[in-house]
Amino acid sequence: MNIYENIAILNASLGDEEIETASGKIKDLITNSGGEILKIDMWGRRKLAYEIKKQKKGFYLFLVFKSPSAAIKKLEDYYKVFDPVVKYMVIKLEKKQAEAALSQTRLSEKSSSAAEAAAAPTEKTEQKKEA
């Protein structure tokens, strides 16, 4: 399986629940096609560099995933008919780029778990202070 990066710009006028639903459908399509999502980032609403389909803002969704090449065709065909998607780009990563993306994903997972572990003792000390 190859590793891909995907950036999708969703319509910024959608509500938070609708964006979660749209991103869930995209994730489901990838996993149901035999893929595995390695990283997902929601960059949020940002101003577009130029107007796209009469939109000046968009909600950015960034994915890194492993997938068979046949699933990419399905994903791109889905983006073409899926109304919340304003613009999209899927890039196949080269070997070095894929290794860098995987190592960056592992580092971010370690830092987030370390941050959670560091936050847990402070919550316990706050509870003791209140008692």
Side-chain angles (χ1 to χ4, degrees):
M1 282 198 287
N2 297 319
I3 297 178
Y4 297 91
E5 269 186 1
N6 177 17
I7 295 179
I9 302 174
L10 305 177
N11 190 337
S13 64
L14 296 174
D16 291 337
E17 290 179 14
E18 293 170 316
I19 288 176
E20 286 293 327
T21 304
S23 64
K25 288 181 181 179
I26 293 168
K27 288 187 264 184
D28 289 343
L29 181 66
I30 293 169
T31 54
N32 292 340
S33 299
E36 174 189 352
I37 295 177
L38 304 174
K39 180 180 181 180
I40 184 164
D41 279 339
M42 293 190 177
W43 292 348
R45 289 176 177 82
R46 296 178 181 226
K47 184 179 177 193
L48 299 173
Y50 54 91
E51 196 171 295
I52 302 171
K53 296 183 182 177
K54 299 182 182 179
Q55 300 289 318
K56 294 183 180 183
K57 289 188 176 185
F59 186 93
Y60 284 74
L61 179 67
F62 177 75
L63 298 152
V64 177
F65 59 95
K66 286 183 184 179
S67 178
S69 57
I72 301 305
K73 175 74 172 135
K74 288 181 187 177
L75 184 64
E76 288 180 343
D77 288 343
Y78 183 68
Y79 281 153
K80 289 177 185 175
V81 297
F82 191 47
D83 287 336
V85 175
V86 177
K87 193 91 170 165
Y88 67 92
M89 181 170 43
V90 180
I91 300 171
K92 179 182 172 186
L93 298 179
E94 297 295 324
K95 191 172 186 175
K96 288 183 181 179
Q97 294 170 326
E99 290 171 359
L102 289 174
S103 65
Q104 187 179 25
T105 303
R106 289 184 193 117
L107 287 174
S108 65
E109 288 174 357
K110 287 180 183 177
S111 64
S112 65
S113 63
E116 289 172 4
T122 58
E123 291 174 1
K124 289 179 183 177
T125 56
E126 288 176 6
Q127 290 175 352
K128 288 180 183 177
K129 288 178 184 178
E130 291 176 2

